[in-house]
Amino acid sequence: MRVLAFETSTSRAGIALVDHQGIVAERLLHAPMRHLEWVLVGLKEMLEEAGVSRQEIGGIAVSRGPGSFTGLRIGIATAVGLAKGWEIPVVGVSTLDVVAAGFPREGLVCALLDARRGEAAVALFRIWRGLLTRITGDLVAPPGAVVELLEGYEGEEIALIGEGVARFGGEIRERLGDRVWLAPPVYWPPRAAIVGWLGRTLLLQGVKSDPYHLQPVYLRRPVLAGAIWGG
């Protein structure tokens, strides 16, 4: 199955096409507030360059948050619109799952996004033999609460990954010491290719989202209508 994927939860928008062999094509763009004007143009160009027609696409995956209020709406609306028009299934994937799955080492992984207002969107995972397992659900918390969460895993090394590391990583590492490892920035952004791979796995398992009820996950309401959550 070839799966088309959209990742618009942060300022680094991405689209990708994956199949059983991995990445067929991928496009990335660092363009805050330009997701809407870029995503469909980028999609058309990507499919043309890859020589893939829409009839060869069996499903669509989309990052559903947490993340940018505006970006998530654009990505999900695009994915749902195409899924309905092409009559193929669509599935939403947690952005924190996508961030954690991009880490290349095994062990405990704490995915962090900047939720603004001095808080992080966070989830804890374990990677073992290539399998990503969730330990906690998504939550929004100040860095002190993240430290308390991670203190429960004393004796284990923990990798921090995600764009929230830029803001909170130093403080968390200072309080927990050398057992906390900060992933290099190249691994921080959620990638569309990983959205596609995780989404393809779900679709092959028979998991899909109702296109009429697929909604962004913000974890909390924006301060004002139209405001950017983490964007």
Side-chain angles (χ1 to χ4, degrees), residues 1 12 19 31 55 66 96 104 117 132 136 144 146 169 208 216 231:
M1 175 189 283
R12 292 172 175 81
D19 63 12
Q55 287 78 14
L96 290 169
R117 307 182 219 169
L132 180 71
T136 72
V146 177
K208 59 184 179 180

Side-chain angles (χ1 to χ4, degrees), residues 40-191:
L40 288 178
V41 173
L43 171 60
K44 182 176 182 294
E45 293 176 350
M46 183 185 74
L47 294 181
E48 288 178 351
E49 290 179 6
V52 175
S53 68
R54 69 176 183 85
Q55 287 78 14
E56 298 176 73
I57 298 172
I60 297 177
V62 61
S63 182
R64 59 181 175 83
S68 162
F69 181 68
T70 302
L72 288 172
R73 289 191 300 171
I74 291 170
I76 290 177
T78 303
V80 166
L82 292 176
K84 290 178 180 178
W86 296 352
E87 298 182 335
I88 57 177
V90 61
V91 65
V93 180
S94 166
T95 304
L96 290 169
D97 282 23
V98 176
V99 171
F103 188 64
R105 292 175 52 181
E106 293 189 335
L108 283 176
V109 178
C110 181
L112 292 170
L113 296 174
D114 187 354
R116 307 305 188 196
R117 307 182 219 169
E119 295 182 315
V122 57
L124 189 62
F125 301 81
R126 188 181 296 279
I127 300 177
W128 178 246
R129 296 184 178 178
L131 179 65
L132 180 71
T133 302
R134 260 186 180 267
I135 297 175
T136 72
D138 295 356
L139 62 125
V140 169
V146 177
V147 169
E148 290 179 6
L149 171 66
L150 300 183
E151 282 177 335
Y153 297 86
E154 185 175 358
E156 293 193 69
E157 289 190 352
I158 302 171
L160 302 184
I161 187 171
E163 295 187 345
V165 174
R167 183 169 183 184
F168 305 110
E171 178 180 349
I172 294 172
R173 191 174 191 275
E174 182 178 354
R175 295 177 62 177
L176 291 177
D178 292 342
R179 71 187 184 93
V180 171
W181 189 77
L182 306 184
V186 68
Y187 296 115
W188 293 355
R191 286 185 56 186

